[in-house]
């Protein structure tokens, strides 16, 4: 979750007279793209995991990352060549070659009889591994390099979790990638918990709005600790009904009313 420092979450209502319509105290503050805090949490039925706040990258960390990425990119060609050489000596490659040559032979015979040519693949002639050079993100949020380097396996469909670089590093470590559904708050129970946390920050601390990064980190940790197992289980228990309605709407979310 990303939460804006000093922001307002959800509607905020005040009582006013008609003549007070444009008074400063009766006009909602509109603050866009302010500084924000990115945090992660983990849940499962009957369990609430730790809470993690991502710290901003220091200049020293940026410089070290730039140097390490240059070295990684310089070596990726050699690494790709070694991987493909090993693949071409494997039983997998031999079986693939035999299968595709057999398919090509059958297609040629069929073309001779019918006069219709069919396309066949020759992937055994190509590369299984293609390592792309890594480029850093735009410094907004967590990019692939930070995600892999500081490795905390908490996933959804965020770009940093599903990039070529991340998937390659995951494969090297033998970590299976979960097939996540398309981004939808309905299908992620923890999104509802983030809404609860934001709502509590808004209602309980609305007058004394959190305006500093340090204070927001402390408040977020406190609110996460207040989330009960009962609340976690309640949100997860809604999933079967939500999924049934989503299927009924053929993947849509028009079941909200």
């Amino acid at each position: 979750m990303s939460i804006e420092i000093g922001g307002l979450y959800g509607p905020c209502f005040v009582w006013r007279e008609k003549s007070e319509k444009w008074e400063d105290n009766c006009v909602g503050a509109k603050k866009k793209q302010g500084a924000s805090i990115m945090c992660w949490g983990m849940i499962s039925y009957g369990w609430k995991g730790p809470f993690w706040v991502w710290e901003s990258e220091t200049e020293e960390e940026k410089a070290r990352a730039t140097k390490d990425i240059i070295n990684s990119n310089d070596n990726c060609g050699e690494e790709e060549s070694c991987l493909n050489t090993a693949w071409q000596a494997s039983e997998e490659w031999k079986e693939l070659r035999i299968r595709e040559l057999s398919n090509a032979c059958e297609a040629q015979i069929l073309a001779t009889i019918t006069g219709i040519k069919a396309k066949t693949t020759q992937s055994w002639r190509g590369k299984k591994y293609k390592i792309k050079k890594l480029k850093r993100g735009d410094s907004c949020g967590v990019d692939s390099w930070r995600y892999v380097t500081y490795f905390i396996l908490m996933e959804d469909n965020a770009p940093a979790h599903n990039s070529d670089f991340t998937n390659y590093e995951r494969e090297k470590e033998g970590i299976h990638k979960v097939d996540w559904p398309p981004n939808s708050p309905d299908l992620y129970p923890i999104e509802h918990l983030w809404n609860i946390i934001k709502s509590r920050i808004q209602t309980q601390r609305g007058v004394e709005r959190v305006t500093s990064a340090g204070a927001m980190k402390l408040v977020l940790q406190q609110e996460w600790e207040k989330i009960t197992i009962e609340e976690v289980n309640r949100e997860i228990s809604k999933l079967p009904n939500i999924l049934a309605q989503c299927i009924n709407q053929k993947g849509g979310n028009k079941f909200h009313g």
Side-chain angles (χ1 to χ4, degrees):
M1 172 184 71
S2 178
I3 185 169
E4 186 179 346
I5 300 171
L8 295 174
Y9 323 109
C12 183
F13 300 101
V14 297
W15 289 100
R16 64 171 174 79
E17 299 289 342
K18 288 185 178 180
S19 60
E20 296 176 325
K21 182 176 181 179
W22 301 112
E23 292 290 332
D24 290 340
N25 291 337
C26 300
V27 177
K30 292 184 178 180
K31 179 181 177 184
K32 297 181 179 179
Q33 298 180 342
S36 62
I37 298 293
M38 179 172 289
C39 55
W40 286 354
M42 297 177 286
I43 60 171
S44 180
Y45 193 87
W47 176 80
K48 183 180 69 171
F51 182 77
W52 177 269
V53 175
W54 277 95
E55 300 291 346
S56 299
E57 197 172 19
T58 65
E59 292 301 321
E60 181 182 354
E61 289 172 334
K62 289 180 181 179
R64 184 167 62 248
T66 299
K67 181 179 179 181
D68 290 343
I69 289 171
I70 290 174
N71 291 334
S72 177
N73 287 339
D74 288 342
N75 296 327
C76 68
E78 182 179 349
E79 184 176 0
E80 179 183 291
S81 178
C82 290
L83 288 170
N84 285 307
T85 298
W87 174 61
Q88 290 169 359
S90 67
E91 290 299 320
E92 177 189 346
W93 181 85
K94 293 176 183 178
E95 292 174 2
L96 177 65
R97 179 176 178 274
I98 292 172
R99 184 169 62 253
E100 291 188 345
L101 287 176
S102 176
N103 291 341
C105 183
E106 292 176 2
Q108 187 175 8
I109 294 172
L110 186 62
T112 301
I113 298 173
T114 63
I116 301 174
K117 294 184 178 180
K119 292 183 179 180
T120 58
T121 58
Q122 295 188 17
S123 54
W124 62 275
R125 292 183 179 274
K127 299 178 180 180
K128 178 179 180 180
Y129 298 96
K130 296 180 181 179
I131 304 177
K132 296 181 180 180
K133 290 187 176 182
L134 179 65
K135 294 182 180 179
R136 289 235 66 182
D138 58 5
S139 299
C140 296
V142 180
D143 64 4
S144 300
W145 179 261
R146 288 202 77 197
Y147 178 65
V148 171
T149 303
Y150 291 91
F151 192 75
I152 298 176
L153 189 60
M154 300 172 66
E155 293 191 341
D156 49 27
N157 272 331
H161 305 170
N162 199 34
S163 68
D164 291 331
F165 176 71
T166 300
N167 288 333
Y168 174 63
E169 292 296 323
R170 182 190 293 103
E171 184 178 343
K172 286 200 301 184
E173 297 295 331
I175 300 173
H176 177 66
K177 178 71 171 72
V178 176
D179 292 327
W180 291 92
N183 295 338
S184 172
D186 298 305
L187 304 179
Y188 292 92
I190 199 168
E191 292 292 341
H192 300 282
L193 295 182
W194 295 141
N195 288 336
I196 291 173
I197 287 177
K198 288 181 177 181
S199 176
R200 287 174 178 172
I201 292 174
Q202 175 72 24
T203 56
Q204 297 175 12
R205 307 169 188 269
V207 177
E208 300 177 0
R209 193 180 306 170
V210 184
T211 57
S212 69
M216 179 60 79
K217 292 173 185 176
L218 179 60
V219 167
L220 284 169
Q221 183 68 54
Q222 292 172 344
E223 295 300 335
W224 175 259
E225 290 173 359
K226 291 178 183 176
I227 294 293
T228 65
I229 296 299
E230 289 73 23
E231 288 174 319
V232 171
N233 291 347
R234 183 187 65 204
E235 296 303 328
I236 293 177
S237 296
K238 294 177 182 178
L239 269 179
N241 181 51
I242 291 173
L243 288 171
Q245 293 184 69
C246 186
I247 292 171
N248 186 53
Q249 293 292 330
K250 299 181 179 180
N253 63 349
K254 294 182 180 181
F255 50 83
H256 293 290

